[in-house]
């Protein structure tokens, strides 16, 4: 859907408001200037520096992911197009304090690996007893949007509204996310949405590294099964966990990375979490740049929105 098509006046006004808040308050010429090209020429691919530790090491340590500047040349873009590689997954994860007797992240990994479609993964999560968050949550929040979509967004964890409805990003931050997507001509029928954790941490507290480690095999398997061509990692928890890095979201956002999913390499764009943008509206300007970079990447890779 193009912005403006099939949208009501109120929706168009909300879109315009978001764009103005994000700093897009000037219309300049009819032909778009690609400001990323110059930057791309002077910023070749760089390997992500090695770290000695990350909280996500439990499941993904050993995998190499590379950083890519927002405006790559065609060759660089080709290199980050989803492709098959032969590198195996890293070693099994470390134990976590949140596991029951006999349950380890390795068992979470085994359970997840045994799921060969999204329905069985959802069912496995609904039966899984290895994460204490489940005891206080009302629902297992699995996903929303189109499971065949080629753009997949991964947030942190359900909040209150998501826990009540059993769907990700349906509260205030979800409404902002919808406006961000609409600003680049996307809606939930064209993207797939999930979270690192399928259960709400009580009081929306930050999830512990143990909780993340336990749930990570499931979202990793989720990505394998959904087979997106582009990932958008919303917020620091999502970006750090999936990119296996200790770098903060302020440094990570807007820089394309490679996420290795089974035998595929998927371009992944970290961006600020919409909940953070609600608290810090001034950061919407940067997020607007990220959304534009996402649109450019979709268009330049000729990514089909629905597989
Ligand atoms: N925040 C998230 O990270 N995910 C949701 O589903 C809702 C809020």
């Amino acid at each position: 859907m193009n912005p403006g098509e099939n949208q009501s006046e109120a929706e168009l006004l909300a879109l315009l408001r978001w764009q103005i808040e994000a700093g897009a308050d000037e219309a300049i010429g009819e032909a778009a200037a690609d400001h990323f090209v110059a930057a791309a020429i002077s910023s070749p691919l760089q390997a992500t520096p090695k770290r000695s530790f990350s909280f996500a090491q439990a499941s993904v340590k050993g995998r190499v992911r590379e950083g890519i500047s927002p405006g790559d040349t065609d060759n660089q873009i080709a290199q980050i197009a989803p492709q098959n590689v032969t590198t195996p997954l890293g070693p099994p994860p470390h134990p976590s304090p949140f596991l029951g007797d006999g349950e380890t992240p390795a068992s979470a990994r085994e359970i997840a690996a045994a799921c060969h479609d999204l329905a069985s993964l959802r069912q496995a999560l609904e039966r899984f007893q290895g994460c204490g968050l489940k005891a206080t949550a009302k629902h297992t929040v699995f996903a929303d949007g189109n499971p065949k979509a080629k753009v997949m967004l991964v947030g942190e964890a359900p909040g209150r509204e998501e826990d009540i409805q059993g769907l990700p990003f349906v509260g205030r931050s979800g409404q902002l996310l919808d406006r961000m997507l609409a600003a680049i001509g996307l809606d939930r029928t064209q993207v797939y949405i999930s979270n690192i954790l399928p259960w709400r941490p009580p009081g929306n507290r930050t999830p512990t590294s143990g909780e993340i480690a336990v749930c990570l095999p499931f979202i990793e398997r989720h990505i394998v099964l959904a087979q997106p061509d582009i990932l958008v990692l919303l917020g620091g928890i999502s970006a750090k966990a999936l990119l296996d890095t200790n770098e903060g979201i302020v440094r990570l956002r807007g820089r394309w990375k490679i996420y290795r999913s089974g035998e595929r390499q998927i371009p992944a764009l970290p961006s600020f979490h919409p909940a953070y943008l609600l608290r810090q509206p001034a950061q919407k300007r940067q997020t607007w740049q990220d959304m534009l970079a996402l649109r450019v990447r979709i268009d330049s890779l000729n990514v089909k929105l629905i597989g």
Side-chain angles (χ1 to χ4, degrees), residues 255-273:
R255 290 160 57 200
W256 285 97
K257 302 280 181 180
I258 289 293
Y259 172 74
R260 187 163 288 170
S261 174
E263 297 193 335
R264 301 179 72 229
Q265 292 188 354
I266 306 175
L269 182 65
S271 193
F272 286 135
H273 193 288

Side-chain angles (χ1 to χ4, degrees), residues 150-168:
K150 290 295 157 196
V151 177
M152 180 170 180
L153 295 93
V154 182
E156 178 180 321
R160 183 174 176 276
E161 201 55 39
E162 289 77 17
D163 187 38
I164 291 169
Q165 295 192 35
L167 289 169

Side-chain angles (χ1 to χ4, degrees), residues 141 155-159 162 167-171 173-174 193-195 234 273 275:
V141 176
E156 178 180 321
E162 289 77 17
L167 289 169
F169 284 103
V170 289
S173 60
I193 307 176
S194 190
N195 282 309
L234 296 169
H273 193 288

Side-chain angles (χ1 to χ4, degrees), residues 115-144:
C115 299
H116 295 289
D117 54 38
L118 293 174
S120 59
L121 186 69
R122 179 196 285 261
Q123 214 172 54
L125 265 172
E126 278 164 359
R127 289 191 188 136
F128 186 64
Q129 295 302 333
C131 179
L133 293 177
K134 192 175 196 176
T136 49
K138 291 186 173 58
H139 280 106
T140 297
V141 176
F142 186 69
D144 193 24

Side-chain angles (χ1 to χ4, degrees), residues 72-113:
D72 305 318
T73 61
D74 284 351
N75 276 348
Q76 288 167 331
I77 286 168
Q79 286 181 54
I80 65 147
Q83 58 192 247
N84 290 341
V85 291
T86 50
T87 316
L89 288 177
H94 294 176
S96 146
F98 289 89
L99 296 170
D101 279 349
E103 285 176 322
T104 64
S107 68
R109 186 162 297 280
E110 277 163 23
I111 293 166

